[in-house]
Amino acid sequence: MRSLPPAFLSVGRYRQACVVARRNFARSVSTSATGSVSSRAGATSLLFGLGSGAFVASYFLWPDPSRAAPTKTNALLSPTHFTPVEVTSTETCPDPSTRLMTLTVPRQSIPSTDQAAFEPIWSVYIKDDDIQVERPFTPLEGIDSEGRIKLWVKKYEKGEVARWLHSKHVGDKIEIRGPIKTWSWKENEWDEIVMISGGTGITPFYQLIHKELLSQPATTSKTRYTLLHSSRRPIELPPQEMLQPLIAYSQAHPDKLRLSFFVDSSDGPSHPTMPSSSLTVGRIGKNAIERVMSIGTKSWWQSLFHRASAEDSARGKKVMFLLCGPVPMVAAIAGPFGRNFSQGDVGGALGELGYGKDSVWKLESVS
């Protein structure tokens, strides 16, 4: 879950500070012009208004060293400070609003990846130095022994850090901190993990699948993985570098990994890796979940008197649903987030199917 340090400012807080400053200035001018006070009082009020406005603006806009994470060049990568890293690759994707990027951590800052903190699912914060804002991004394949971190970054209209990243070139330096744990994987804790994603919400699930399946084909894990992913159009699906390994593994090990891809519309260019015949047009909903969980095979009297539950619908298996994507999508499938992106109650399609908090986890969509 995202929790921004106060020193790294959102655009909303910037605008709020400006509004406060302007409002105080306007009030002070109005007071000085009424003639109901002396000219000296009016001048004092004006100065006070300007000073308070400047104070409020400076509080929000001036990073406080005591609250900001420092930058360290000779320390291991850590959540407590920023580490300068180099952009070593940036590649265009079929969807022009997305890029595959590789960041490389300096050798002296590469941590031991045997730490529990690097078990799925984790992310790193990237700082936009221009406006002092940080946002989380999920490494697709974790971090390798050479310090390389691969990201799939989508440029959203209101995503200031993603737009800033898209402007970077090979050789540029940026600052990151992490790892930040977003969900804790437990070996053989669940019989099945069902991952439901939209857009770049697939990135944490790709990290999990890569760590547990793609990087160790001879895995002895008893857990089966199911991925339901949705994009608006075929061209907006993940790039070939991500899809091809998933498809190849699923075809070779259908008992370990199942894939289903959805698009809101089949209009526009086709995807170079995923033929249109392999896509389902429509959104991920209750029916799609019932199909993958084999719900609906009960006798008529069970359907009449029983509401599906985690045990019934999964036939006694222990199942965990992970969701990551646009907020409206997550709400429709699992109910809305609670305050400050807490889990909230389980609702939506999964709530109707009888699943509860012990079987559902909502991840805030990062990138």
Side-chain angles (χ1 to χ4, degrees), residues 19 58 73 116 189 261 275 298 303 312 331:
V19 168
S58 65
T73 57
E189 176 75 12
F261 292 94
K298 301 185 294 297
S303 300
D312 293 331

Side-chain angles (χ1 to χ4, degrees), residues 107-148:
R107 184 165 298 278
Q108 70 271 16
S109 299
I110 301 174
S112 169
T113 56
D114 293 335
Q115 303 174 43
F118 288 99
E119 290 296 317
I121 298 171
W122 58 274
S123 62
V124 295
Y125 275 93
I126 297 179
K127 180 173 66 171
D128 179 346
D129 286 328
D130 294 342
I131 56 175
Q132 293 298 298
V133 172
E134 64 170 4
R135 290 291 182 269
F137 294 83
T138 304
L140 296 172
E141 300 174 1
I143 180 172
D144 67 15
S145 59
E146 299 298 319
R148 289 182 293 246

Side-chain angles (χ1 to χ4, degrees), residues 126-185:
I126 297 179
K127 180 173 66 171
D128 179 346
D129 286 328
D130 294 342
I131 56 175
Q132 293 298 298
V133 172
E134 64 170 4
R135 290 291 182 269
F137 294 83
T138 304
L140 296 172
E141 300 174 1
I143 180 172
D144 67 15
S145 59
E146 299 298 319
R148 289 182 293 246
I149 294 174
K150 296 181 180 179
L151 306 173
W152 184 41
V153 182
K154 184 174 180 66
K155 181 172 58 176
Y156 290 99
E157 180 182 353
K158 295 182 179 179
E160 58 273 11
V161 177
R163 291 200 310 271
W164 178 79
L165 275 176
H166 270 237
S167 71
K168 295 302 174 183
H169 304 284
V170 171
D172 287 346
K173 296 293 182 65
I174 64 175
E175 296 185 7
I176 69 173
R177 66 180 183 91
I180 309 295
K181 184 70 72 175
T182 53
W183 182 72
S184 295
W185 161 252

